Amino acid sequence: MEKFVIKGGTPLEGEVTISGAKNAAVAILPATILASGKCVIENLPCIRDVNVSLEILHALGAQIRMLDRNTYEIDTTHLTGTEVPDELSRQMRASYYFLGALLSRFGRAQVAMPGGCNLGPRPIDQHLKAFSALGAVDSVDYGMISVRAQKLTAAHIFFDKVSVGATMNGMLSAVLAEGQTVLENCAKEPHVVDLANFLNMCGADVRGAGTDVIKVRGVAQMHGCDYSIIPDQIEAGSYMVAAAATGGNVLVKNVIPKHLEPITVKLERAGAVIEEFDDAVRVSRTGELHPLKINTMPHPGFPTDMQPLMSVMLSVAKGTSTVTEGIWDNRFRYVDELARMGANIQVDGQIAVIEGVEKLQPAPLRASDLRAGAALVVAALMANGTSEISEIQHIERGYENIVEKLQALGAQITRIETHPAALSQAL
Ligand code: EPU
């Protein structure tokens, strides 16, 4: 097993370039199935979830050519399968997008109950509601979800809950259905808009993405296209928090500043200084950190995926912060790890009360999921001394080149194999 060894206490300084958005990539890759042709997808982050998505496409019969590290040509003209291999779909939550895409093109699909981060119950009833409204029948047997339809016909679908996944699967399953589908109470995240833009580039007719109501007029067929994925809002936010938390000064490049506004507003209130450019933001902090009240909400509210990172920063703010998690039931699991570093955080249900302490102490830490893991990296960068973080496979599912990017900002971080000799060499 691998670990990160981090010697903290140094403010981050320099420039970092943000990769393509994970949560857009993991929907757009399955969506290439709908093109029934050749797509060139640029700005794909080189992370495990993207590799798994490409492996699934390959297993289904797609021809895949790597043009460079972040660009792939994917030809879905001659697909041979509609069943996503069990061992691949279990590796990431987003394998559920293959249900919508395969159902749409072939009228059937089978995917194992998706894996991914353990953030509490992660039902997909709203995805199935959309498929069923369009005329599909679903069944769950031995952990496999199957959907099937003779024909998909447009419908009016009101989501009972704002869900990124259900909104995207609603679009995927409706683009080739006969007539105009109306999706209401949709998620408005930037990756929802990115998927709609990709589908439209492939000949679909999707309007309203980024608002509560999305209208999808079914088209007879779609075609391939060249498409570049948007920058990752959460990766950008993670480096912004790391800069503010360590009292550094970092230019975060290749971002869409508008997507970062919910994060920017909170960081400014906490005492960071943020300068916006066309496609970059500079984050710096010299004064003390102020406490905040944060409630996580669907976009354009404060993103749940930033919650663990913000809480880490607030653990050394001057005063009491409250953080309310409004999306997931189980997203405070990193708090026990922070307590080992001397943080004072009390969790009651969905609310964490954070009493700022003077300093975090280094400690051996374990990443429990992707964003919790990224938050622990920031915590270790803030602590004077050497921390180790294990279970880093969670972090590497979602952050491209995190070690190299942090090293370029002056961080002392190394990735090691966890046998004792390697550890003593790293320190
Ligand atoms: N929900 C339902 N029924 C459904 C679907 C969702 O009740 O059918 C509930 C969920 O239990 C949750 C809420 O609705 O309480 C929102 O879930 P959503 O469907 O929006 O989440 P998701 O699509 O499964 C994506 C991201 C997550 C991110 C959430 C919220 C991907 C692959 N994952 O998950 O990202 O936290 O949206 O923004 O896009 C991450 O990147 O670390 C991550 C976990």
Side-chain angles (χ1 to χ4, degrees), residues 89-107:
S89 53
R90 280 166 185 275
Q91 289 184 35
M92 61 163 194
R93 179 82 192 149
S95 48
Y96 51 44
Y97 292 125
F98 284 93
L99 278 176
L102 289 166
L103 173 68
S104 203
R105 175 157 165 200
F106 297 109

Side-chain angles (χ1 to χ4, degrees), residues 22-23 26 93-94 96-97 117 119 121-127 161-166 189 191 304-305 327-328 331 370-371:
K22 167 179 90 77
N23 290 344
V26 295
R93 179 82 192 149
Y96 51 44
Y97 292 125
C117 289
L119 310 174
R122 298 187 73 170
I124 60 160
D125 56 300
Q126 297 303 305
H127 305 231
K161 184 125 197 177
V162 177
S163 158
V164 170
E189 269 67 3
H191 31 289
T304 171
D305 295 342
I327 308 291
W328 299 114
R331 210 165 202 181
L370 169 59
R371 307 302 172 187

Side-chain angles (χ1 to χ4, degrees), residues 212-269:
D212 297 312
V213 183
I214 299 179
K215 293 183 178 163
V216 184
R217 190 172 288 283
V219 294
Q221 66 179 51
M222 292 167 60
H223 50 76
C225 74
D226 289 6
Y227 195 78
S228 181
I229 288 181
I230 53 166
D232 196 302
Q233 174 203 29
I234 305 299
E235 191 201 10
S238 305
Y239 285 99
M240 291 168 76
V241 169
T246 59
N249 184 332
V250 173
L251 184 68
V252 183
K253 300 197 303 187
N254 186 35
V255 299
I256 299 175
K258 178 86 189 146
H259 293 169
L260 302 175
E261 270 169 14
I263 303 165
T264 304
V265 167
K266 290 294 180 190
L267 282 177
E268 282 178 334
R269 279 195 203 143

Side-chain angles (χ1 to χ4, degrees), residues 102-141:
L102 289 166
L103 173 68
S104 203
R105 175 157 165 200
F106 297 109
R108 61 185 188 283
Q110 184 175 296
V111 174
M113 278 310 244
C117 289
N118 178 5
L119 310 174
R122 298 187 73 170
I124 60 160
D125 56 300
Q126 297 303 305
H127 305 231
L128 300 179
K129 177 179 173 171
F131 301 152
S132 145
L134 295 165
V137 181
D138 62 79
S139 59
V140 180
D141 277 320

Side-chain angles (χ1 to χ4, degrees), residues 118-192:
N118 178 5
L119 310 174
R122 298 187 73 170
I124 60 160
D125 56 300
Q126 297 303 305
H127 305 231
L128 300 179
K129 177 179 173 171
F131 301 152
S132 145
L134 295 165
V137 181
D138 62 79
S139 59
V140 180
D141 277 320
Y142 295 108
M144 304 298 285
I145 308 166
S146 303
V147 283
R148 205 167 256 281
Q150 289 290 344
K151 181 178 178 219
L152 293 171
T153 312
H156 196 122
I157 300 159
F158 187 95
F159 293 115
D160 305 318
K161 184 125 197 177
V162 177
S163 158
V164 170
T167 301
M168 305 241 248
N169 249 336
M171 290 194 277
L172 291 171
S173 51
V175 280
L176 296 172
E178 198 176 293
Q180 176 171 274
T181 296
V182 180
L183 305 170
E184 280 202 68
N185 199 23
C186 292
K188 297 180 279 214
E189 269 67 3
H191 31 289
V192 172

